[in-house]
């Protein structure tokens, strides 16, 4: 089996289930050392078991992305351990409440933005220097068609994913001409 991502480090958020789990496992199968981030310790341990069965390796980071200081500490730890990051997958997200906008509490709105937008901003801030140390640093952020459809009753989710899309496009434009 070829391992085209051998000696690469990949950070995946929301890695304890769903798209994040599948992405982390796929990256590990291709040889990347996966830094798996999620709130759910049990899900991370299941992922680690599956990665080890495939002959891969992972570092498990139980962390709520609402903890922006924790994201900064993670960036510092990655800098100390390897000095670079090759792949960043910003996948973690929360749906928020499904209600008419007038029925949504400000706390619920802020919680959706904290994970779906602000956490990814902090990931960019803290991981960009590490991505620049890679000879092939790449970042992918998972969003949703809800960002542009503006479906009723999905206000916090749709608005926060639209914010994420704009944030990532701005960052892409800022870094497009960098070596």
């Amino acid at each position: 089996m070829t391992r085209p991502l051998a000696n690469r480090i990949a950070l995946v958020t929301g890695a304890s289930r769903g798209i994040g789990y599948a992405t982390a496992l796929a990256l590990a199968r291709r040889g990347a050392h996966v830094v798996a981030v999620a709130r759910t310790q049990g899900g991370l341990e299941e992922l680690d078991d599956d990665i080890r069965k495939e002959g891969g390796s992972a570092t498990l980071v139980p962390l709520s992305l609402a903890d922006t200081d924790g994201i900064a500490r993670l960036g510092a730890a990655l800098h100390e351990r390897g000095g670079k990051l090759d792949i960043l997958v910003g996948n973690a997200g929360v749906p928020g409440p499904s209600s008419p906008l007038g029925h949504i509490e400000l706390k619920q709105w802020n919680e959706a933005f904290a994970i779906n937008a602000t956490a990814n901003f902090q990931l960019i801030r803290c991981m960009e220097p590490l991505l620049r140390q890679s000879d092939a640093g790449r970042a992918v952020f998972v969003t949703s068609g809800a960002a542009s459809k503006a479906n009723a009753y999905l206000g916090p989710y749709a608005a926060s994913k639209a914010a994420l899309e704009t944030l990532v496009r701005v960052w892409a434009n800022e870094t497009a001409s960098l070596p």
Side-chain angles (χ1 to χ4, degrees):
M1 174 194 274
T2 61
R3 297 205 176 248
L5 298 178
N7 301 315
R8 299 292 183 179
I9 301 168
L11 187 153
V12 180
T13 68
S16 64
R17 62 182 178 192
I19 293 169
Y21 191 103
T23 301
L25 187 55
L27 290 166
R29 283 180 177 143
R30 286 163 183 78
H33 176 80
V34 174
V35 178
V37 179
R39 292 176 299 175
T40 311
Q41 179 74 33
L44 287 173
E45 290 171 0
E46 289 175 29
L47 172 65
D48 188 48
D49 290 344
D50 286 346
I51 287 174
R52 288 177 190 275
K53 286 178 195 171
E54 299 284 340
S57 66
T59 299
L60 307 182
V61 182
L63 174 69
S64 167
L65 293 183
D67 179 0
T68 54
D69 290 338
I71 295 170
R73 287 190 303 273
L74 175 58
L78 289 173
H79 177 74
E80 288 287 321
R81 294 181 101 192
K84 70 168 184 157
L85 179 64
D86 301 292
I87 302 164
L88 169 61
V89 180
N91 168 69
V94 296
S98 296
S99 296
L101 286 172
H103 294 201
I104 295 169
E105 298 292 327
L106 182 58
K107 181 180 179 192
Q108 296 170 307
W109 176 270
N110 288 339
E111 287 170 351
F113 269 83
I115 301 301
N116 298 344
T118 304
N120 288 297
F121 167 70
Q122 182 72 335
L123 281 167
I124 289 169
R125 288 184 65 248
C126 296
M127 303 306 159
E128 180 180 23
L130 295 166
L131 288 166
R132 288 180 186 269
Q133 293 304 310
S134 172
D135 62 352
R138 299 289 185 267
V140 175
F141 292 86
V142 178
T143 185
S144 168
S148 60
K149 291 180 184 169
N151 292 332
Y153 311 114
L154 296 178
Y157 182 72
S160 61
K161 287 297 187 171
L164 173 60
E165 285 187 11
T166 301
L167 171 71
V168 171
R169 283 197 313 268
V170 166
W171 186 41
N173 287 333
E174 289 174 354
T175 59
S177 63
L178 296 175

